[in-house]
């Protein structure tokens, strides 16, 4: 049987996670790039270097401008402080209603289920998020679930983080079960990058869990460049597409040196669609301290979106949005 054979070859995601790169020099060595190319490499950073092996395999050897490498390589520019950049760029702190529960927009709440991610993206807007004080597990989710139970106008729960799929299937099952008991919740959304950067995470246990869940599930992936989707990712996503009724969407961040050109964005949309994923959002960079070197100016962003609209089917064009503190939704640009 093919499935048995596949199972035998598969290593657990926890094991795959242990094989991640935790030192930028090791990654550069793997990519056959001499470290002298990056005199501005940053070694001491509170936001640790972390890259799964399978993600590194999707980078081009000897390409110092590789768009995947750029997303993870810590550079000294992270230490440049800028007055327009902040530790809490989108006003998350003000929206925390319970430890780990953000209620910012009508009808939906977001749970920061864990601080852990399979990979550390250098532009991450939650890189300074105080997960210690906002840990829903401290209270076994109960305060968050009580809050939702008492708010009948909430119809959707978003699992976020960190990455919610850093949780074990057992913990997820417990959480999903609790959410299911809330009868006014109509659907569940999962915001995750782990499924892409660590495709081993899509194991049989996860598929079982998700395919048996009685309410609609939407998974919003986070992919910034078409090269992130290789054969391994396509294969890993297949059971999600074939054995569940999950809607797959994608959000990207517009990042200088990664995807701030028309061919990259076109190819991303086309590749997403071919993989069964629809483009949802293209975010302007959230102005988090240390990420300024990723910023794309707004005129260029508008130009790129316009050019995308003029070259692709409508459903392949993501919504270009930015997050403004205090607004009732993401703001279209
Ligand atoms: C972005 C975000 C959402 C989801 O917004 P949608 O426009 O529905 O995708 C929900 N809650 C918080 C706190 C968010 O930051
Ligand atoms: S996976 Fe998402 S939350 Fe985690 S570091 Fe990357 S951008 Fe941040």
């Amino acid at each position: 049987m093919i499935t048995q054979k596949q199972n035998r070859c598969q290593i657990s995601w926890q094991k795959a996670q242990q094989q991640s790169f935790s030192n930028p020099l090791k990654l550069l060595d793997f990519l056959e790039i001499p470290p002298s190319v990056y005199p501005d490499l940053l070694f001491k950073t509170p936001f640790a270097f972390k890259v799964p092996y399978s993600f590194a395999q999707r980078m081009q050897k000897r390409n110092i401008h590789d768009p995947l490498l750029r997303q993870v390589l810590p550079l000294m520019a992270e230490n440049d402080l800028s007055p327009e950049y902040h530790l809490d760029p989108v006003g998350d702190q003000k929206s925390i209603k319970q430890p780990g529960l953000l209620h910012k927009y009508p009808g939906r709440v977001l749970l920061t289920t864990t601080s852990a991610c399979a990979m550390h993206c250098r532009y991450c807007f939650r890189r300074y998020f105080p997960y210690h004080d906002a840990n829903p597990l401290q209270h076994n989710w109960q305060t968050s679930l009580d809050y939702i139970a008492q708010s009948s106008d909430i119809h959707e729960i978003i699992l976020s983080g960190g990455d919610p799929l850093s949780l074990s299937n057992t913990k997820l099952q417990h959480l999903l079960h609790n959410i299911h008991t809330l009868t006014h919740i109509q659907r569940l959304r999962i915001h995750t990058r782990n499924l892409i950067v660590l495709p081993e995470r899509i194991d049989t246990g996860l598929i079982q869990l998700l395919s048996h869940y009685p309410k609609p599930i939407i998974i919003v992936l986070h992919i910034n460049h078409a090269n992130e989707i290789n054969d391994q990712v396509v294969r890993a996503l297949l059971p999600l597409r074939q054995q569940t009724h999950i809607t797959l969407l994608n959000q990207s961040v517009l990042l200088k040196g990664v995807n701030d050109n028309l061919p990259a964005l076109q190819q991303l949309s086309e590749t997403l669609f071919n993989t069964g994923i629809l483009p949802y959002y293209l975010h302007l960079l959230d102005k988090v301290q240390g990420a300024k070197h990723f910023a794309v100016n707004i005129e260029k962003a508008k130009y790129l979106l316009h050019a995308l609209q003029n070259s692709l089917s409508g459903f392949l064009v993501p919504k270009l949005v930015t997050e403004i503190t205090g607004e009732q939704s993401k703001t279209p640009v």
Side-chain angles (χ1 to χ4, degrees):
M1 291 281 291
I2 291 174
T3 47
Q4 279 177 0
K5 197 166 161 200
Q6 279 175 342
N7 276 343
R8 256 185 277 125
C9 307
Q10 236 175 35
I11 59 166
S12 75
W13 65 270
Q14 288 92 343
K15 211 165 205 151
Q17 179 80 92
Q18 282 163 16
Q19 292 167 359
S20 296
F21 289 94
S22 54
N23 179 338
L25 290 177
K26 291 249 168 72
L27 175 64
L28 290 179
D29 185 50
F30 172 77
L31 296 173
E32 298 167 29
I33 297 174
S36 56
V37 173
Y38 292 105
D40 56 341
L41 204 58
L42 183 69
F43 289 98
K44 278 217 170 97
T45 158
F47 188 49
F49 179 82
K50 188 174 179 188
V51 182
Y53 186 77
S54 110
F55 193 79
Q57 280 180 313
R58 291 169 241 168
M59 297 175 187
Q60 258 176 2
K61 297 253 162 131
R62 295 176 294 281
N63 179 3
I64 63 169
H65 301 298
D66 184 90
L68 276 53
L69 175 62
R70 167 132 177 112
Q71 295 180 54
V72 298
L73 205 62
L75 301 176
M76 281 176 192
E78 290 185 22
N79 290 336
D80 294 346
L81 299 185
S82 167
E84 309 131 70
Y85 284 69
H86 309 279
L87 299 183
D88 177 19
V90 293
D92 274 349
Q93 283 307 305
K94 268 190 288 193
S95 311
I96 298 179
K97 306 295 180 196
Q98 291 293 330
L101 183 145
L102 278 75
H103 194 180
K104 214 181 246 186
Y105 303 144
R108 51 221 195 272
V109 288
L110 182 147
L111 301 179
T112 53
T113 53
T114 164
S115 62
C117 293
M119 186 166 93
H120 288 174
C121 317
R122 305 316 301 178
Y123 54 85
C124 178
F125 77 105
R126 289 216 181 105
R127 54 183 292 172
Y128 302 107
F129 192 83
Y131 290 104
H132 285 300
D133 308 328
N135 181 358
L137 283 173
Q138 264 168 4
H139 310 280
N140 203 22
W141 303 107
Q142 206 48 58
T143 54
S144 299
L145 294 166
D146 289 347
Y147 178 93
I148 299 166
Q150 284 152 24
S151 322
S152 56
D153 55 328
I154 297 172
H155 301 299
E156 180 176 334
I157 294 179
I158 302 172
L159 304 184
S160 180
D163 198 304
L165 293 175
S166 300
L167 298 175
S168 68
N169 290 340
T170 311
K171 283 204 176 118
L172 273 176
Q173 183 159 29
H174 174 68
L175 183 57
L176 260 58
H177 174 77
N178 279 319
I179 291 174
H180 181 54
T181 59
L182 302 163
T183 48
H184 59 296
I185 296 303
Q186 292 169 4
R187 55 188 173 266
L188 175 71
R189 212 198 300 184
I190 302 175
H191 281 189
T192 174
R193 185 147 169 69
N194 276 23
L195 294 191
I196 297 303
V197 303
L198 190 76
E200 293 88 346
R201 181 63 189 89
I202 309 175
D203 57 14
T204 13
L206 183 68
I207 296 294
Q208 286 228 328
L209 189 64
L210 298 180
S211 60
H212 288 111
Y213 197 65
K215 289 176 186 174
I217 298 181
I218 303 106
I219 293 186
V220 182
L221 297 159
H222 173 182
I223 305 169
N224 299 315
H225 194 280
N227 292 1
E228 293 176 38
I229 302 174
N230 66 351
D231 286 350
Q232 186 191 6
V233 172
V234 172
R235 250 183 291 125
L237 285 170
L238 217 51
L240 259 191
R241 297 168 59 188
Q242 293 179 337
Q243 297 173 37
T244 75
H245 298 289
I246 294 175
T247 304
L248 292 176
L249 304 175
N250 182 63
Q251 51 184 344
S252 312
V253 184
L254 187 60
L255 298 166
K256 187 173 173 181
V258 174
N259 56 12
D260 60 336
N261 64 80
L262 185 59
L265 292 173
Q266 285 169 330
Q267 209 198 342
L268 174 61
S269 278
E270 298 277 4
T271 309
L272 286 171
F273 183 79
N274 293 341
T275 317
I277 309 163
L278 282 176
Y280 178 40
Y281 279 147
L282 177 61
H283 295 268
L284 291 187
L285 181 77
D286 291 323
K287 293 190 168 170
V288 66
Q289 202 62 262
K292 195 180 174 185
H293 54 300
F294 286 108
V296 176
N297 73 49
I298 197 157
E299 283 72 32
K300 184 167 185 187
K302 284 185 189 167
Y303 161 79
L304 285 169
L305 191 83
H306 196 64
L308 262 190
Q309 269 168 346
N310 286 343
S311 61
L312 292 179
S313 303
F315 57 86
L316 292 183
V317 183
K319 286 189 244 189
L320 180 66
V321 291
T322 186
E323 185 163 346
I324 300 172
T325 303
E327 292 291 320
Q328 291 294 290
S329 71
K330 307 280 188 272
T331 306
V333 176

